[in-house]
Amino acid sequence: MGQGKIRHAVAKVRPVVRKVRRDRRRQAVVVVVFALLVSGMELLALKLGSFNVPFA
């Protein structure tokens, strides 16, 4: 009887665990994309800053 309750509790929690894992995976992807975007903007700023543009 005790094992049945445990199995029922585990089966009940599994979809929540999957949802949390999906959320964490999505959050990790967003963090990586954000880091790449920021680093690309930094490289662009360095590249534009290295031009010697005379202003009138």
Side-chain angles (χ1 to χ4, degrees), residues 2-56:
Q3 286 183 345
K5 287 183 179 181
I6 292 172
R7 284 184 185 159
H8 180 69
V10 168
K12 193 175 178 182
V13 171
R14 272 199 181 131
V16 174
V17 171
R18 286 187 187 129
K19 184 177 185 293
V20 168
R21 285 183 184 158
R22 262 186 263 131
D23 290 346
R24 285 185 183 165
R25 190 175 299 144
R26 184 176 177 196
Q27 188 178 11
V29 168
V30 168
V31 167
V32 168
V33 168
F34 182 74
L36 290 174
L37 182 68
V38 169
S39 63
M41 290 172 65
E42 292 250 352
L43 287 174
L44 183 64
L46 286 172
K47 201 62 137 165
L48 290 174
S50 68
F51 290 131
N52 197 6
V53 181
F55 291 105

